[in-house]
Amino acid sequence: MANLVNNNVLVGILENLKDSLYLIQGMIDQENKLSEAYKFYSSPLILESIENANMANTRRQTISVVETIQLNQTLKSLLDEYLKHEYRIYNFALHLHKVQVRTIGSAMST
């Protein structure tokens, strides 16, 4: 987790694609020359089509796998233990992403 902070990593989160695009804009387009492109790619219609394309097939498969794992308490416990570090890193990265979005937002509004 320290690497994310110490190496000044820009955290993009697929589930928060609009905010991730906003971060990228804030980092590489500080003069707002590409603001129309960012508006287009972060429009609800585009974001919805991206989400639908990414999630349509995998959502059913994921739900099926998760339901199966939850039925087997031994397997669920093993996976929870095995993935606990990944969960911690993901949750920290998600928090860092939110902080970065607020920071970039403040910088862009001044």
Side-chain angles (χ1 to χ4, degrees):
M1 289 186 285
N3 284 338
L4 295 175
V5 175
N6 295 338
N7 294 314
N8 202 22
V9 172
L10 177 69
V11 179
I13 305 288
L14 183 60
E15 302 93 292
N16 297 351
L17 185 58
K18 185 173 183 175
D19 287 341
S20 296
L21 291 172
Y22 184 66
L23 282 175
I24 293 168
Q25 179 187 11
M27 296 302 293
I28 65 172
D29 186 30
Q30 296 174 357
E31 296 177 10
N32 283 330
K33 291 181 179 179
L34 301 172
S35 62
E36 291 304 313
Y38 289 106
K39 285 179 189 174
F40 172 79
Y41 285 108
S42 64
S43 71
L45 183 61
I46 296 298
L47 291 175
E48 184 178 322
S49 68
I50 291 170
E51 181 178 322
N52 289 340
N54 287 332
M55 302 306 245
N57 295 325
T58 59
R59 179 167 275 147
R60 286 189 307 274
Q61 295 168 347
T62 302
I63 289 171
S64 176
V65 169
V66 169
E67 287 173 347
T68 302
I69 291 170
Q70 288 177 339
L71 291 174
N72 184 329
Q73 193 58 40
T74 303
L75 179 58
K76 182 181 180 317
S77 294
L78 287 170
L79 283 173
D80 285 346
E81 178 63 25
Y82 183 76
L83 296 172
K84 69 183 177 185
H85 300 294
E86 284 79 1
Y87 292 146
R88 287 182 61 215
I89 292 168
Y90 174 80
N91 288 328
F92 181 78
L94 182 60
H95 170 74
L96 185 57
H97 170 78
K98 291 176 182 178
V99 169
Q100 290 174 343
V101 169
R102 281 195 306 270
T103 302
I104 293 293
S106 297
M108 289 179 73
S109 65
T110 57

